[in-house]
Amino acid sequence: MQVDPPQENLYGYVPDRDVCIIFVVLFSITAAIHLVEAIYFRMSWLFATAVFAGVAEIIGWSARLWSSYSPFLQDPYIMQLCVTIIAPSPLVAALFILFGRISERLGEHYGRLSPMWYSIIFLTCDIISLVTQGVGGGIAGSSIGHQDDVDLGGNIMLAGIIFQLASISVFVVLMGEFFVRYFTDHPLRQPKKDPAVEESYVPARGVLTLKLKLLITSVLAMTIFLVIRSVYRMIELIDGFTGKIIQTEVYFNIFDGAMVVLAIYTLNVLHPGWLLEKKVPRTEAIALQQSSPSGSPRASLLSLNLKGQANNVNEGYAE
């Protein structure tokens, strides 16, 4: 009689069923809220970022829930391996888009890049990272039993994570420089002229409203949560598929699942739909010759409003 080879638990543990259910419920709630918010505020880019990330996390944690019932099946293991590694990437993309919107309102002349180029460069990096991690996860998951191929897939996933972490690090440096230059009023270049006013006048620095402060807080908090998650996944993959880190469930629950939950719910609460004002509040425009030596326009007695008032007075004397 032929005896089947013993089955192997690929996780190194049996996923906790209650924990899996909690995460499935949490991600289902946030995905539904993000869907409603995206429709209500008419922000289509949230479908491909926050909503997509929420749905992907539901799939990943549903696969882990499946494994809690059948820990020896390969299909749910492969599914959660591939999906949970790439699911937060759309949230990273949302960070890049949000910062571009913020820089538009505060003054893009304080940043190294224009809002458009922030999106183009870092979204491209995020897509490269997502594809790399997905390909690596697919190779590793489909090569179970062939250690060399599993290691190859793991190394590809690791390369994707490192690339993503590097791009986030560069983004954080550029974002930090932007805010330092904004608060100290040291722009990198002359601000663009406002076509709505006279040719010799330029728009001043944007006003940091309470709503923008809350949105910046949201971006910073999400960045911290997602960086922690990326560092964990990098260490996990360096340790290998048979290492202690990947085979310790509580690490994954805290440093992956919980960090993504905190990031995506932060975006739910501090949502750009109500924090990102459509109109750009700015201080008064002033004459080019009255700009500060650094190139940043400052309030002066030659502001457009006062100039308009002077014209009105002159017209009154003429009458």
Side-chain angles (χ1 to χ4, degrees):
M1 182 178 66
Q2 184 178 1
V3 179
D4 294 332
Q7 293 178 304
E8 180 183 3
N9 183 339
L10 300 171
Y11 292 93
Y13 59 85
V14 177
D16 188 292
R17 189 171 304 165
D18 293 336
V19 171
C20 293
I21 291 173
I22 290 172
F23 278 112
V24 169
V25 171
L26 287 175
F27 283 118
S28 298
I29 293 172
T30 187
I33 294 174
H34 272 301
L35 179 61
V36 172
E37 288 175 328
I39 295 172
Y40 180 79
F41 292 114
R42 298 181 180 179
M43 292 185 162
S44 58
W45 58 273
L46 286 171
F47 292 115
T49 55
V51 176
F52 181 85
V55 172
E57 289 287 356
I58 293 170
I59 295 172
W61 282 93
S62 295
R64 290 178 67 85
L65 179 59
W66 182 4
S67 291
S68 71
Y69 290 93
S70 304
F72 298 108
L73 288 181
Q74 289 188 6
D75 288 346
Y77 176 81
I78 295 172
M79 186 186 303
Q80 66 86 32
L81 178 66
C82 295
V83 176
T84 58
I85 194 73
I86 66 173
S89 293
L91 278 181
V92 177
L95 288 178
F96 302 150
I97 295 172
L98 280 174
F99 178 66
R101 301 290 197 274
I102 291 171
S103 68
E104 282 179 337
R105 283 147 176 81
L106 294 182
E108 60 186 74
H109 48 287
Y110 292 102
R112 291 281 169 183
L113 305 171
S114 68
M116 181 183 69
W117 280 108
Y118 277 117
S119 297
I120 291 175
I121 293 175
F122 288 106
L123 286 178
T124 300
C125 291
D126 198 50
I127 291 172
I128 293 172
S129 171
L130 187 150
V131 172
T132 304
Q133 294 175 63
V135 169
I139 293 174
S142 62
S143 304
I144 294 174
H146 303 83
Q147 192 59 41
D148 290 342
D149 292 335
V150 171
D151 291 340
L152 173 62
N155 290 333
I156 294 174
M157 292 168 67
L158 177 60
I161 283 286
I162 292 176
F163 182 77
Q164 183 180 62
L165 191 56
S167 64
I168 294 176
S169 299
V170 173
F171 167 74
V172 169
V173 170
L174 292 177
M175 180 170 61
E177 183 192 23
F178 175 90
F179 288 126
V180 169
R181 288 186 176 277
Y182 172 81
F183 287 117
T184 59
D185 197 15
H186 284 84
L188 281 162
R189 55 190 173 275
Q190 190 69 257
K192 293 181 180 179
K193 294 179 181 180
D194 190 342
V197 299
E198 297 180 23
E199 185 177 355
S200 61
Y201 287 82
V202 294
R205 61 202 290 260
V207 178
L208 186 59
T209 63
L210 176 60
K211 287 186 176 182
L212 278 179
K213 289 179 181 179
L214 290 174
L215 189 60
I216 292 171
T217 300
S218 173
V219 170
L220 294 178
M222 289 176 63
T223 301
I224 292 172
F225 297 142
L226 293 174
V227 166
I228 292 174
R229 181 261 175 190
S230 294
V231 170
Y232 160 72
R233 294 308 295 255
M234 180 182 68
I235 296 173
E236 174 194 67
L237 291 171
I238 290 175
D239 194 42
F241 286 101
T242 58
K244 180 180 179 180
I245 296 176
I246 200 171
Q247 293 190 355
T248 303
E249 183 182 16
V250 67
Y251 293 160
F252 184 84
N253 294 340
I254 293 175
F255 296 113
D256 188 286
M259 290 300 106
V260 179
V261 164
L262 290 173
I264 198 168
Y265 271 92
T266 297
L267 189 58
N268 274 132
V269 177
L270 301 177
H271 195 274
W274 66 278
L275 293 179
L276 201 61
E277 293 129 332
K278 293 183 180 180
K279 293 183 179 180
V280 183
R282 291 186 181 274
T283 54
E284 296 171 340
I286 63 172
L288 284 172
Q289 60 267 30
Q290 295 299 323
S291 297
S292 66
S294 66
S296 174
R298 302 176 188 273
S300 77
L301 293 177
L302 296 176
S303 67
L304 280 181
N305 287 349
L306 292 180
K307 181 176 180 289
Q309 292 172 8
N311 288 340
N312 292 336
V313 170
N314 291 334
E315 290 173 3
Y317 282 132
E319 291 177 358

